[in-house]
Amino acid sequence: MSTPFPFTAVVGQEDLRLALLLNAVSPAVGGVLVRGEKGTAKSTAVRALSALLPEVAVVPGCRFSCDPAAPDPSCPDGPHEAGSGGMRPSRMVELPVGASEDRLVGALDIERALAEGVKAFEPGLLADAHRGILYVDEVNLLHDHLVDLLLDAAAMGASYVEREGVSVRHASKFLLVGTMNPEEGELRPQLLDRFGLTVEVAASREPDLRVEVVRRRLAYDDDPAGFAARWADEESAVRQRIVAARELLPSVRLGDGALRQIAATCAAFEVDGMRADIVMARTATALAAWAGRTDVLAEDVRQAALLALPHRRRRNPFDAPGLDEDKLDETLEEFSGEGDEDPDPDGPGGGGGQPPSSDGPQADGDSGAQPEAGDDGEPQASGAGSGEQSAARASEPFRTKVLSVPGLGDGAAGRRSRARTEHGRTTGARRPQGALTKLHLAATVQAAAPHQRARGRTGRGLVVRRDDLRQATREGREGNLVLFVVDASGSMAARQRMSAVKGAVLSLLLDAYQRRDKVGLVTFRGSAAEVALPPTSSVDAAAARLETLPTGGRTPLAAGLLRAHEVLRVERLRDPARRALVVVVTDGRATGGPEPVALAGRAARLFAADGVASVVVDCESGPVRLGLAGQLAGELDGTAVTLDELRADSIAGLVKDVQRRAA
């Protein structure tokens, strides 16, 4: 077994270490979500935490880690008699992003069913994680079917398995810890709310700290065991402090004054539901216990708010996480009351419950920031001495109709169009083509049953051969690629018009986020087109690029279409099963170069030849209209909708019609 990096050797990242330690003191806090750029020691710190957790008492031989003092009466390995048991280290179970549903919740033991003819349950990761840590790296990339199962287990503290003739219920209470890079997409709101705390991490920009990160990382890589031995005393001290804080926790008093501050803070920041209040109360109590106190102070409430509220006050994926600390301080001051003063401000642990000071590794500190997009435009009559105008703000987004691609696809799991997937409802069975990934048990038994006498079966077990195996066919939903091609030329510079355009695109981006689509953004202005955002699952990144999009210059429509066509070509090589939709936002004009309109028409016909579904948002305004956007839609073999029609019917409804005709 490899030696984990010592938790106390992690450089900086005080909020991250504190959030993890508070969950170690009080698992009822509800876990922690770690958001941050790549290379910031997110996974390193989480994996190091498990070595600090106290051992747990378990019933010997129980695969579900029952507590011998209070065994689960419905344990599949039970019933167990209450009494003494053995001790084992706390577990940290990792859930891979690509795990199957059977691996997570467990399933029928196929080998025993076929060989011995008995129904036996094979536990999954939820059973392994009971009374320990369930860690999901890149949790924002977790498939929806696994997210649903996690939500059920987290809400009920138990896992229910009803499948393939197996009906099992077992306890599954775990500390949920997830890490994610926001650049790769956001997390579903339902799962986001299940994390008690959240922290934002970033690499330090201080040269001395970065030097220390590299120095410690290199020392660990050269001699993991020796490096860990040098930090053994610090690790032991933190482990003992966790045990002491757990013992002190039941004695911590959460006074009415602190409770009023918690309630007032949650109300002031307009968080949904009551979970935030409960999490803040538990976090403030754990902070006091970690600091060695039996009274919750205002500073504990403040720190609890900074950890428990940022991810709960977001109203949509485009809102930046965070908390207005001035508003927080004003609320705490307004509702400060008697009974929460620290009887000994300089007592054990001090205030705030900060983790032991240490400067340790964050791995690489590369920033995920990307430069702002934009081409220099050519001078226009409407510009005041410049072809580029400041970005217009988007109008308020609105709800769109369901956008779905007709037919049955084979794309990545999502929530939009019908598709053949590895997960979903079982619709039938077939002979496997290649490796067997999901056995259809009933069909397999049915195929093998007529041949048992000929195969000389004598016992209870079923004689099964490879030709009998049947692959389950399942139908679920797939995600699509929505590629926006936005005209940012001078003819689009009218501020009211551009504001409405951006509002419509933001509406579709919000819909794409909810349906787990990939999105991309191509803009054209001046003399060229550029990929402002390559296809990605991070729709908030697309929204940010759209919000800062300047306008000005000529209209290289053909260049924009050709660049979009190239983006789709490359994306088909990377992900050939994902179907695409192109949304062109323009007034249809084309300027610059010889025969710009004809060149744009030829570029548009490339999409029609490839069978790509498309829609043109006609942004032309004024009493005299040329109808160029409609002509472009004809070349694309798509449809056009005017800007005035967006709110009435929405782009999504029109796209649905276009895709139905394209099929």
Side-chain angles (χ1 to χ4, degrees), residues 45-95:
V46 173
R47 292 189 174 98
L49 176 68
S50 60
L52 299 178
L53 298 180
E55 292 186 331
V56 295
V58 296
V59 173
C62 178
R63 297 174 297 166
F64 302 88
S65 301
C66 280
D67 185 350
D72 181 6
S74 60
C75 175
D77 284 355
H80 305 299
E81 294 292 335
S84 60
M87 303 294 292
R88 67 159 175 80
S90 291
R91 290 176 181 163
M92 188 188 74
V93 177
E94 293 196 41
L95 171 60

Side-chain angles (χ1 to χ4, degrees), residues 71 81 89 91 154 157 169 252 256 284 291 301 321 325 370 382 558 643:
E81 294 292 335
R91 290 176 181 163
R169 178 260 181 213
V252 175
D256 290 343
V301 176
E325 295 194 32
Q370 298 186 28
S382 59
L643 204 57

Side-chain angles (χ1 to χ4, degrees), residues 18-162:
L18 177 61
L20 292 172
L21 288 170
L22 292 177
N23 277 277
V25 171
S26 175
V29 166
V32 58
L33 173 66
V34 187
R35 296 166 45 95
E37 58 194 26
K38 51 188 175 291
T40 49
K42 299 187 298 293
S43 300
T44 298
V46 173
R47 292 189 174 98
L49 176 68
S50 60
L52 299 178
L53 298 180
E55 292 186 331
V56 295
V58 296
V59 173
C62 178
R63 297 174 297 166
F64 302 88
S65 301
C66 280
D67 185 350
D72 181 6
S74 60
C75 175
D77 284 355
H80 305 299
E81 294 292 335
S84 60
M87 303 294 292
R88 67 159 175 80
S90 291
R91 290 176 181 163
M92 188 188 74
V93 177
E94 293 196 41
L95 171 60
V97 170
S100 67
E101 187 174 330
D102 291 347
R103 185 70 188 97
L104 179 62
V105 301
L108 178 69
D109 189 331
I110 300 297
E111 183 177 352
R112 293 191 62 188
L114 296 179
E116 303 175 22
V118 299
K119 289 196 297 185
F121 179 67
E122 184 177 2
L125 295 178
L126 288 179
D128 294 340
H130 180 46
R131 303 175 67 201
I133 300 173
L134 182 61
Y135 172 49
V136 189
D137 193 14
E138 305 295 350
V139 64
N140 51 323
L141 304 182
L142 199 63
H143 286 182
D144 279 354
H145 69 286
L146 298 182
V147 171
D148 293 337
L149 293 170
L150 275 183
L151 288 172
D152 290 342
M156 297 182 292
S159 175
Y160 291 83
V161 183
E162 301 283 350

Side-chain angles (χ1 to χ4, degrees), residues 265-277:
T265 300
C266 293
F269 286 98
E270 300 179 346
V271 296
D272 295 331
M274 293 297 297
R275 184 173 286 121
D277 303 63

Side-chain angles (χ1 to χ4, degrees), residues 3 14 76 82 96 314 351 362 374 402 446 466 538 540 553 590 640:
T3 303
E14 285 80 7
R314 301 182 74 189
Q362 306 164 11
V402 177
Q446 187 176 10
R466 186 172 185 83
S538 180
D540 56 338

Side-chain angles (χ1 to χ4, degrees), residues 315-318 397-400 416 484 504-516 519 539 543:
R315 288 294 178 263
N316 65 64
F318 309 140
F398 53 88
R399 186 175 182 84
T400 65
R416 184 174 299 281
F484 295 93
V505 177
L506 281 176
S507 301
L508 286 177
L509 284 173
L510 183 59
D511 185 66
Y513 161 76
Q514 295 168 341
R515 301 187 185 282
R516 313 296 281 179
V519 296
V539 296

Side-chain angles (χ1 to χ4, degrees), residues 373-397:
D375 293 324
D376 292 332
E378 297 178 17
Q380 298 290 309
S382 59
S386 172
E388 182 172 307
Q389 302 187 17
S390 60
R393 294 186 61 84
S395 62
E396 190 69 21

